[in-house]
Amino acid sequence: MNPRLLHIALALTALMAAVTACDDSKDVDRAYTDYLYDIVTYMGTTDAGGEKYILDQRDDAQRLTLLSAGTNAPEDSYIGRRMLLRYDFADDSRDTIRNIVVYASTAIISDSMRYTIKPVAQYLQNNTPVKLRSVWRTGDYLNMRGQLEYTGRQRHFYLLVDSTTWKRDTVHCYLVHNVFNDTTYHWRDFYASFYVGSLWKRNPKQVLRVHINDVLRPDVTYRDFAKTTQ
């Protein structure tokens, strides 16, 4: 297996903006006070010249289609790319198709889980720890937010399934993070989203056990994820 080198998206730095001070005669822009953050899937432009996103909500909650009037995604965005979206709903509708106002759309680490062809231990040599702030599932995606040590160089960062466990009740998966012994500096924020739906398409009763080398919680060596609707 020859995984490509991934550039680490530093999403938070690009998205977070400070609210400027204002006097009593001026209102603060809603872009700084009324907004949502969600990881979504970019689905290209609409016939009306806006953009379409798919929002898979927590676990197996209802999927929403989000339609914006303008274009905000980076120019090199492709259909299926995972994005961190800062937005607000344009109305109070409760439909599954919603109009939104987009304040920022930023590409994040976007990948599908990969499979071993060698013993899993060979992939985990020199595995560099992360600071994991949160990990959660939305539909067929496993999402992560945390921090990585900055090197200024490319690295390996991907989700790897131990293929020997693929048909078991519990499938073991590992976060591979290798900086190839480069000098590390300060910690920087990241968001990542991995497609894991192929697991549950063949057997919705399997449990995905994700092993992560986490500096913040070294005693928690794995987290389990399962379908809530089967």
Side-chain angles (χ1 to χ4, degrees):
M1 175 172 162
N2 230 346
R4 69 182 185 276
L5 291 171
L6 296 177
H7 284 286
I8 300 303
L10 303 171
L12 273 183
T13 302
L15 288 174
M16 296 302 290
V19 178
T20 56
C22 62
D23 59 41
D24 293 338
S25 63
K26 296 181 180 179
D27 292 330
V28 177
D29 192 322
R30 286 177 58 87
Y32 298 112
T33 59
D34 298 306
Y35 59 83
L36 301 166
Y37 269 126
D38 277 306
I39 293 179
V40 300
T41 306
Y42 176 73
M43 298 303 292
T45 56
T46 65
D47 292 339
E51 291 175 333
K52 178 180 178 180
Y53 299 91
I54 297 296
L55 171 60
D56 290 285
Q57 300 189 82
R58 182 74 65 139
D59 297 325
D60 296 294
Q62 190 175 50
R63 168 183 281 190
L64 300 180
T65 298
L66 308 179
L67 302 175
S68 71
T71 55
N72 293 85
E75 290 184 1
D76 60 350
S77 299
Y78 54 85
I79 293 177
R81 183 70 189 262
R82 298 287 277 169
M83 302 275 186
L84 184 62
L85 193 68
R86 187 164 68 89
Y87 70 102
D88 193 13
F89 291 113
D91 52 51
D92 295 329
S93 167
R94 290 296 179 264
D95 294 335
T96 57
I97 300 177
R98 302 290 305 272
N99 293 315
I100 60 171
V101 177
V102 175
Y103 301 124
S105 179
T106 304
I108 63 174
I109 299 169
S110 179
D111 200 11
S112 295
M113 61 182 183
R114 308 178 185 200
Y115 307 88
T116 58
I117 58 174
K118 300 180 291 186
V120 69
Q122 294 188 31
Y123 300 91
L124 299 177
Q125 295 176 359
N126 303 316
N127 209 32
T128 308
V130 303
K131 286 185 177 180
L132 186 67
R133 300 296 180 182
S134 58
V135 55
W136 69 102
R137 181 174 70 83
T138 53
D140 289 331
Y141 293 94
L142 191 70
N143 310 297
M144 298 181 188
R145 180 178 72 88
Q147 292 180 308
L148 305 174
E149 289 180 286
Y150 177 75
T151 65
R153 297 176 180 271
Q154 294 175 321
R155 64 185 74 199
H156 277 178
F157 190 91
Y158 56 91
L159 202 60
L160 181 71
V161 174
D162 182 352
S163 299
T164 64
T165 69
W166 184 243
K167 295 183 179 181
R168 298 179 187 175
D169 291 340
T170 299
V171 177
H172 291 260
C173 188
Y174 298 82
L175 181 64
V176 176
H177 177 217
N178 191 343
V179 300
F180 301 101
N181 296 315
D182 283 331
T183 300
T184 56
Y185 301 98
H186 53 280
W187 292 89
R188 299 188 70 174
D189 299 310
F190 80 92
Y191 278 92
S193 186
F194 302 96
Y195 177 76
V196 297
S198 55
L199 171 70
W200 290 304
K201 279 182 170 53
R202 59 176 302 277
N203 185 351
K205 295 184 179 181
Q206 284 179 297
V207 173
L208 180 64
R209 178 163 292 177
V210 183
H211 301 260
I212 300 175
N213 186 4
D214 180 16
V215 170
L216 298 179
R217 301 173 186 84
D219 55 317
V220 181
T221 59
Y222 66 85
R223 288 125 172 120
D224 287 344
F225 296 89
K227 280 285 189 182
T228 56
T229 56
Q230 299 179 359

